[in-house]
Amino acid sequence: MGQFRFLTAGESHGKGLIALVEGMVAGLSLEAEYINKELKRRQQGYGRGPRMEIEEDKVEIISGLRYGLTIGSPIALLIPNRDWQNWWEVMSTAPPERQAETVTCPRPGHADLAGVTKYGLKDIRPIIERASARETAARVAAGAIAKRFLEEFGIAIHSHTTAIGHVSYEPFTSCHSEAEKRPKNLAQDKLHEAISINWQQVEASPVRCADSEVEKKMIAAIDEAKANGDTLGGIFEVIATGVPIGLGSYVHWDRRLDSKITQAIMSINAVKGVEIGSGFALAKLRGSEAHDVIEPNSPPVSAEHFPSSSLQGASATNQSLSWRHATNRAGGIEGGTSNGEDIVVRAAVKPIATLANPLPSIDLRSGEIAKAHYERSDVCVVPAAGVIAEAMLAIVLADACLEKFGGDNLKETLANYHNYQLSIGKD
Ligand SMILES: Cc1cc2nc3c(=O)[nH]c(=O)nc-3n(C[C@H](O)[C@H](O)[C@H](O)COP(=O)(O)O)c2cc1C
């Protein structure tokens, strides 16, 4: 991480979560309510467990703000765990009067066995507590600050679910969708509607799916898994619109925007695969089919040449440019550098490891075969993972904007950004 950095602390059933955010410029307006809205979005989603009914995440901004504006100092955020009142004895930081029962049957697919061995512990409880995705509430809070900053550049970030278990679909915004995949005989004025995701519909959907028929099937699949004591994974897509050309670089491996984004998304608990743009599908195409043709940006654009992701974002970003990409299979990044199109990232989420019908494991006390540990758990977290990915993508893009445009206060940063935009395409 470069200028914009953050760390988190906190156990799942500890007193609370903390994010320490560093590197944000002074002069950005920010309210706790803005962060709370993002926290609420993370808590929603069909398939979450009963924990989410207990918690109603609210942030307290401890430092780094004065009168609603950032002041350039580190921003400390606190999210109390309401469930702490039921766990204070189990998670006491001081030696307790009586110790809680130890957990000794590791869950296959969780951090339990590797964690308890690595840290030389006899009890799996500390591993459960920190490997838990409860920590991602702190990331979403930090990401909300990044999102607020990116708004100043006209950058917006959305996510939606494209698969849960076997139920999947290819939305028109996907980089895989080419002109020939779009409905035939669609009137020109309906085309934009058809290739745009309706984000309001996504926000209203319990599984964050833009297609109501697919949504019903996803919900049924989650119900079925739950009834069988099982869990389900899936795929989410996260899209950033309005991203300027030139973020990141090809000059070093660790300056590549795609490598930073994939690390950030892969760091989300239970994410097992990440692709940018058409990703793995590109491997099957010929070069002539795979790349995004560069063409003059002279409206009206031919119906055959819409970028596969949001047209609005791409054309707004490129207003001062005289070129555009005919498609967006690269997902907005070429040579580790943003190319002015929407950044499109997809990730595969595995089914979570805590099963109501537990898998076989061993008891680490005796070495005997035993059922894996079970405690209340989510059944499907794909919609929530998408919201967390929005935060992680926002953090990477905010850092990339600060690296490119610099500055210690928002006015300075935005002046640099506008100068850069004016310079594009000029001698
Ligand atoms: C939003 C969210 C909620 C999660 N909830 C649970 C849960 O309730 N039970 C569980 O076993 N895993 C849950 N996970 C996944 C685990 O945190 C994750 O599988 C574990 O930390 C091991 O890491 P790995 O899967 O990345 O290898 C959740 C993940 C996310 C993104």
Side-chain angles (χ1 to χ4, degrees):
M1 282 253 112
Q3 179 168 341
F4 186 70
R5 307 181 291 160
F6 78 105
L7 283 174
T8 71
E11 277 75 40
S12 180
H13 299 99
K15 204 164 184 183
L17 296 157
I18 285 171
L20 182 59
V21 182
E22 205 249 343
M24 182 42 62
V25 295
L28 180 75
S29 65
L30 182 68
E31 286 176 12
E33 219 22 64
Y34 184 90
I35 301 174
N36 289 339
K37 270 193 202 147
E38 294 298 316
L39 291 174
K40 188 164 187 195
R41 291 176 69 236
R42 190 199 75 96
Q43 290 193 279
Q44 289 165 345
Y46 198 79
R48 299 303 302 275
R51 173 80 190 269
M52 286 306 110
E53 287 156 26
I54 298 171
E55 300 298 344
E56 197 200 334
D57 289 338
K58 297 258 185 247
V59 75
E60 189 183 339
I61 304 175
I62 306 283
S63 73
L65 242 73
R66 187 156 189 258
Y67 304 150
L69 291 177
T70 56
I71 53 174
S73 312
I75 304 171
L77 306 170
L78 169 70
I79 306 163
N81 283 333
R82 288 173 74 171
D83 209 11
W84 161 247
Q85 62 194 26
N86 303 316
W87 287 77
W88 65 270
E89 215 171 0
V90 179
M91 290 308 297
S92 170
T93 53
E97 274 175 24
R98 71 191 157 93
Q99 291 205 354
E101 208 176 312
T102 54
V103 180
T104 55
C105 299
R107 295 161 296 173
H110 223 293
D112 303 354
L113 182 60
V116 88
T117 309
K118 176 180 168 66
Y119 290 102
L121 300 170
K122 297 249 177 298
D123 187 356
I124 295 170
R125 172 57 55 199
I127 319 301
I128 298 178
E129 289 294 320
R130 183 63 187 166
S132 157
R134 176 92 192 114
E135 181 267 348
T136 59
R139 298 201 214 180
V140 167
I145 298 175
K147 266 195 173 182
R148 179 68 270 290
F149 176 63
L150 294 175
E151 283 176 359
E152 300 288 336
F153 299 82
I155 301 173
I157 302 182
H158 299 281
S159 69
H160 65 124
T161 306
T162 63
I164 286 181
H166 287 296
V167 184
S168 68
Y169 83 123
E170 288 285 336
F172 290 119
T173 58
S174 162
C175 294
H176 299 140
S177 327
E178 294 150 32
E180 59 274 16
K181 280 199 190 163
R182 281 190 242 119
K184 297 259 182 298
N185 308 323
L186 195 68
Q188 178 68 27
D189 59 341
K190 290 275 175 229
L191 191 55
H192 178 66
E193 212 176 289
I195 64 170
S196 297
I197 287 281
N198 181 339
W199 295 117
Q200 273 178 343
Q201 191 177 344
V202 169
E203 292 303 318
S205 163
V207 283
R208 302 189 56 76
C209 178
D211 184 307
S212 49
E213 286 309 307
V214 181
E215 173 192 285
K216 280 185 208 144
K217 290 181 194 156
M218 287 176 171
I219 290 173
I222 294 169
D223 286 341
E224 199 204 353
K226 189 175 181 184
N228 291 315
D230 221 326
T231 61
L232 278 183
I235 298 172
F236 64 77
E237 186 170 71
V238 53
I239 301 173
T241 58
V243 181
I245 190 166
L247 301 186
S249 178
Y250 51 83
V251 300
H252 277 298
W253 67 272
D254 58 347
R255 294 186 61 184
R256 294 182 66 105
L257 190 63
D258 43 8
S259 71
K260 291 181 185 188
I261 290 173
T262 45
Q263 185 193 8
I265 304 298
M266 191 60 120
S267 77
I268 299 168
N269 314 41
V271 166
K272 293 297 143 195
V274 184
E275 61 178 6
I276 294 190
S278 292
F280 279 80
L282 287 174
K284 294 187 203 139
L285 301 180
R286 290 161 188 255
S288 55
E289 302 164 316
H291 300 296
D292 304 309
V293 168
I294 302 164
E295 61 183 17
N297 190 20
S298 46
V301 181
S302 137
E304 288 309 296
H305 283 176
F306 274 87
S308 43
S309 41
S310 159
L311 175 69
Q312 225 169 14
S315 56
T317 315
N318 292 351
Q319 242 164 24
S320 59
L321 301 185
S322 56
W323 66 84
R324 55 180 291 143
H325 295 91
T327 52
N328 189 22
R329 295 180 193 109
I333 304 175
E334 290 171 300
T337 312
S338 63
N339 67 7
E341 302 296 339
D342 295 349
I343 291 186
V344 183
V345 187
R346 261 182 305 279
V349 180
K350 76 181 187 188
I352 58 172
T354 310
L355 305 183
N357 196 1
L359 287 170
S361 180
I362 57 162
D363 189 326
L364 294 175
R365 274 174 304 204
S366 61
E368 304 276 305
I369 291 175
K371 282 193 167 182
H373 174 71
Y374 176 74
E375 63 188 44
R376 73 183 171 193
S377 187
D378 297 322
V379 174
C380 178
V381 300
V382 181
V387 174
I388 300 160
E390 290 178 31
M392 294 308 292
L393 182 58
I395 287 163
V396 173
L397 292 180
D399 184 46
C401 282
L402 285 165
E403 180 188 73
K404 174 93 182 92
F405 305 117
D408 294 297
N409 66 74
L410 187 62
K411 265 192 198 156
E412 191 186 358
T413 309
L414 289 180
N416 294 343
Y417 164 70
H418 290 305
N419 277 338
Y420 170 69
Q421 291 286 48
L422 289 174
S423 75
I424 293 173
K426 305 242 165 68
D427 283 337

